[in-house]
């Protein structure tokens, strides 16, 4: 069990560019979550997958954001036309269990800085 | 609208003392309440969690107390150690309503001084 892995750990880009982050969940975890955390705040939910199906989306997930989990394993989060306000830590979490709640295990995040 | 309110924002405790962090929620559909610990540069790590059918849960030095009628829950860290210095987040979700998203409080920065 290697834990939730996120890549890259840091991303610096210019405003207006597109960025893509990758998350590899704990092996065999069927649920995968994306959160955003800004400095001094708690994580805020963005979206959630059960296997390859995207089941919940937050109002924070504007049309510039898109997330995929094509084969129910790894997931990608893309931000198009980045803005200053997108600067944050993007956290991925995964959990197991289909009919009962299991704890969400977080990765160490991707820190995005918009110049 | 902040659905989970956490206090205090920061806390300084002497080594060996008890650290107490409080959270209050508004959404009565919440039925799962975890606490996470986060070190700088790291993701949150689950410490302990409680469901509303119990009033207290203890794991080692960490205890959650839960008051359903007051819609409040708290984390107690007994015999606090310098290694406990971190930011702590309470969270909540509505598992019974089929929603697995966690709503987090704003966090409490704990400093344990020797």
């Amino acid at each position: 069990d290697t834990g939730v892995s996120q890549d890259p750990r840091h991303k610096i880009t210019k405003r207006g560019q597109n960025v893509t982050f990758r998350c590899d969940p704990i092996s065999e975890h069927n649920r995968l979550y994306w959160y955003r955390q800004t400095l001094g705040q708690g994580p805020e939910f963005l979206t959630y997958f059960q296997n390859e199906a995207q089941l919940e989306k937050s109002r924070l997930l504007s049309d510039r954001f898109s997330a995929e989990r094509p084969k129910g394993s790894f997931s990608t989060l893309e931000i198009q036309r980045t803005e200053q306000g997108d600067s944050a830590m993007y956290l991925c979490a995964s959990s197991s269990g289909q009919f009962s709640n299991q704890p969400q295990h977080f990765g160490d995040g991707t820190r995005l800085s918009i110049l | 609208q902040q659905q989970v309110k956490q206090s205090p924002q920061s806390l300084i405790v002497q080594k060996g003392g008890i650290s107490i962090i409080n959270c209050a929620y508004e959404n009565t559909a919440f039925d799962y309440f975890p606490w996470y610990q986060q070190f700088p540069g790291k993701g949150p790590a689950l410490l302990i969690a409680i469901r509303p059918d119990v009033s207290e849960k203890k794991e080692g030095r960490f205890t959650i107390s839960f008051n359903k009628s007051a819609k409040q829950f708290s984390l107690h860290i007994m015999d606090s150690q310098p290694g406990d210095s971190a930011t702590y987040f309470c969270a909540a979700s509505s598992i019974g309503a089929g929603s697995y998203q966690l709503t987090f409080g704003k966090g409490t920065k704990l400093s344990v001084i020797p």
Side-chain angles (χ1 to χ4, degrees), chain A residues 67-115:
Chain A
E68 294 182 342
R69 194 182 183 198
K71 296 183 179 180
S73 56
F74 73 93
S75 175
T76 58
L77 177 68
E78 181 183 18
I79 309 174
Q80 295 183 326
R81 306 180 303 281
T82 52
E83 301 174 355
Q84 292 282 356
D86 296 332
S87 294
M89 175 79 84
Y90 290 84
L91 293 163
C92 177
S94 70
S95 69
S96 64
Q98 187 169 2
F99 300 108
S100 64
N101 180 59
Q102 294 295 318
Q104 294 182 27
H105 299 271
F106 283 81
D108 287 336
T110 293
R111 180 165 296 283
L112 174 64
S113 298
I114 307 298
L115 301 178

Side-chain angles (χ1 to χ4, degrees), chain A residues 15-62:
Chain A
R15 183 167 53 93
Q17 297 295 305
N18 299 343
V19 294
T20 300
F21 311 137
R22 177 181 169 120
C23 172
D24 287 272
I26 293 172
S27 176
E28 297 181 358
H29 276 190
N30 63 333
R31 295 184 185 141
L32 187 146
Y33 314 78
W34 285 99
Y35 292 82
R36 181 176 72 183
Q37 185 176 25
T38 53
L39 204 59
Q41 301 295 316
E44 296 173 294
F45 173 78
L46 292 177
T47 190
Y48 148 65
F49 291 85
Q50 181 157 309
N51 299 312
E52 64 274 9
Q54 190 172 16
L55 297 184
E56 288 186 76
K57 291 171 66 173
S58 162
R59 289 173 298 174
L60 292 175
L61 211 69
S62 75

Side-chain angles (χ1 to χ4, degrees), chain B residues 3 8-9 15 23 44 48 54 83 87 96 100:
Chain B
Q3 294 196 56
Q9 196 171 10
K15 178 181 175 181
C23 283
I48 186 172
V54 296
T87 300
Y100 296 93

Side-chain angles (χ1 to χ4, degrees), chain B residues 41-52:
Chain B
K42 296 291 189 179
L46 179 70
L47 270 178
I48 186 172
I50 197 168
R51 299 295 296 267

Side-chain angles (χ1 to χ4, degrees), chain B residues 16-85:
Chain B
I18 302 173
S19 303
I20 302 174
I21 304 170
N22 301 299
C23 283
Y25 62 97
E26 300 163 5
N27 186 348
T28 54
F30 285 150
D31 57 7
Y32 173 69
F33 304 90
W35 284 89
Y36 282 83
Q37 178 190 58
Q38 187 175 32
F39 292 103
K42 296 291 189 179
L46 179 70
L47 270 178
I48 186 172
I50 197 168
R51 299 295 296 267
D53 51 345
V54 296
S55 60
E56 187 174 281
K57 183 174 181 181
K58 183 176 181 180
E59 289 184 3
R61 296 185 294 112
F62 301 94
T63 300
I64 299 179
S65 297
F66 185 81
N67 185 329
K68 188 174 180 179
S69 61
K71 292 186 287 184
Q72 295 176 345
F73 57 110
S74 61
L75 176 70
H76 291 62
I77 306 174
M78 312 299 288
D79 186 27
S80 299
Q81 298 297 312
D84 297 330
S85 298

